[in-house]
Amino acid sequence: LNRVLHGVAVPLAVVGLTGLLWALPVPAAFTDISPALNWGTAFLLSAVVYYFILSIPLAIGLLPFVLATTAILGRLEGLAPALWQISLTLFLAALVLQALGHLLEGGRLRVLEDLHYLMIGPVWLMAGAFRRLGIPY
């Protein structure tokens, strides 16, 4: 049950956190480069670089998720409620699901102790999918 909860919570947490960053005001230099450049897309780009450092196959496997996250947040931007409100709700829901999973398992919620766990969550899920499919990484 903990794995299933994390399978839902990890993507929600990434979308929520990225959305919160996306909603922050950006310097004019960002928009001069591209209207799509914001703190959320900068975060995703840095995550992709980090994933490629960890494992090229896993990073390639995560690219559809990164693109989907970008598309979802692009669609949510400008809606009511505001993007930051939707994103905060998603992020908090993810934390509740993860806490519930850890409570059932008898562990503690480590993502609050070290943000590295938040970054490694998608790689952990992708590695599990690759193992089940017999794809080396």
Side-chain angles (χ1 to χ4, degrees):
L1 182 57
N2 185 31
R3 287 182 188 261
V4 171
L5 290 172
H6 275 69
V8 173
V10 167
L12 283 180
V14 172
V15 172
L17 176 61
T18 305
L20 287 169
L21 294 170
W22 190 297
L24 292 173
V26 296
F30 277 33
T31 52
D32 290 346
I33 295 169
S34 169
L37 183 57
N38 58 54
W39 295 114
T41 56
F43 170 72
L44 287 176
L45 288 171
S46 63
V48 168
V49 169
Y50 178 65
Y51 297 151
F52 270 99
I53 291 168
L54 292 177
S55 166
I56 291 173
L58 290 175
I60 292 169
L62 283 165
L63 287 177
F65 171 69
V66 169
L67 293 173
T69 299
T70 304
I72 289 166
L73 293 172
R75 293 216 172 219
L76 291 175
E77 190 175 30
L79 295 180
L83 178 59
W84 73 266
Q85 293 170 316
I86 296 168
S87 299
L88 182 61
T89 301
L90 292 174
F91 189 72
L92 292 175
L95 288 180
V96 168
L97 289 174
Q98 288 182 359
L100 178 61
H102 286 283
L103 180 68
L104 294 171
E105 174 183 81
R108 63 184 192 275
L109 187 60
R110 293 192 174 152
V111 73
L112 297 176
E113 297 171 11
D114 184 352
L115 288 180
H116 179 259
Y117 288 108
L118 180 64
M119 292 294 295
I120 210 70
V123 175
W124 174 75
L125 289 176
M126 187 58 61
F130 275 29
R131 273 191 303 278
R132 285 189 296 284
L133 296 170
I135 299 172
Y137 58 92

